[in-house]
Amino acid sequence: MVLKLRISLGMAFIASCLTLLVSALNSITLSAMAYRTLVSLVLFAVFGYTCGQFAEQFLQKKLDEIKPEDTNVDIASSDDENGDETPAEKFEPLNPENLENMTLTQK
C-alpha cells in the first residue's frame, strides 16, 4: 500500500509542478492555471496509483519466487552434538553475603 501511495503522490506532485511552471511561462490567467494544476494533480495521482498497483504486484511475484521453501531449522548449538552438557553455574541472587566478593573498578 505504501509503494502505491508514494508513486501516486510523487507523480502527482511532479506533474502539478510542471503544469504550474508551463502555465506561468505561457502567462495564462490565474483561474486557468489553478484549474489545470488541479486536474493534472488528480489525473496523475490516479495514474500513479494504478502504476503503483502494477509495480507492487510485479514485485510481489518476484519476492514469492525468491522466497526459500519451508525448512525446519534446529536451534541447538553445534557443541551439543555429542550429548555432553556442561552443568550451568547455579544462579545466586545478590545478598549481603555476596557483597564481600564484589570488586569495584572505575574507568
Side-chain angles (χ1 to χ4, degrees):
M1 184 75 169
V2 175
L3 179 65
K4 293 182 277 193
L5 292 176
R6 284 185 181 175
I7 290 175
S8 66
L9 291 176
M11 287 182 69
F13 180 72
I14 291 171
S16 62
C17 286
L18 289 175
T19 303
L20 191 62
L21 180 68
V22 169
S23 298
L25 290 175
N26 288 330
S27 65
I28 61 173
T29 62
L30 188 61
S31 61
M33 188 183 308
Y35 172 74
R36 288 180 182 181
T37 304
L38 183 65
V39 168
S40 69
L41 182 78
V42 170
L43 287 178
F44 276 92
V46 171
F47 182 69
Y49 189 81
T50 56
C51 286
Q53 178 74 23
F54 289 125
E56 195 172 75
Q57 288 176 355
F58 175 76
L59 292 174
Q60 188 63 42
K61 287 179 184 177
K62 290 292 183 184
L63 283 176
D64 289 341
E65 291 173 3
I66 296 172
K67 188 182 291 185
E69 294 184 19
D70 293 337
T71 56
N72 292 332
V73 177
D74 193 17
I75 310 196
S77 113
S78 61
D79 296 337
D80 295 339
E81 289 178 3
N82 51 0
D84 294 335
E85 290 187 18
T86 57
E89 294 182 22
K90 184 179 174 188
F91 173 74
E92 295 180 20
L94 188 61
N95 55 31
E97 289 83 31
N98 291 348
L99 289 177
E100 298 169 351
N101 299 331
M102 292 181 58
T103 57
L104 297 175
T105 58
Q106 292 182 346
K107 292 185 179 183

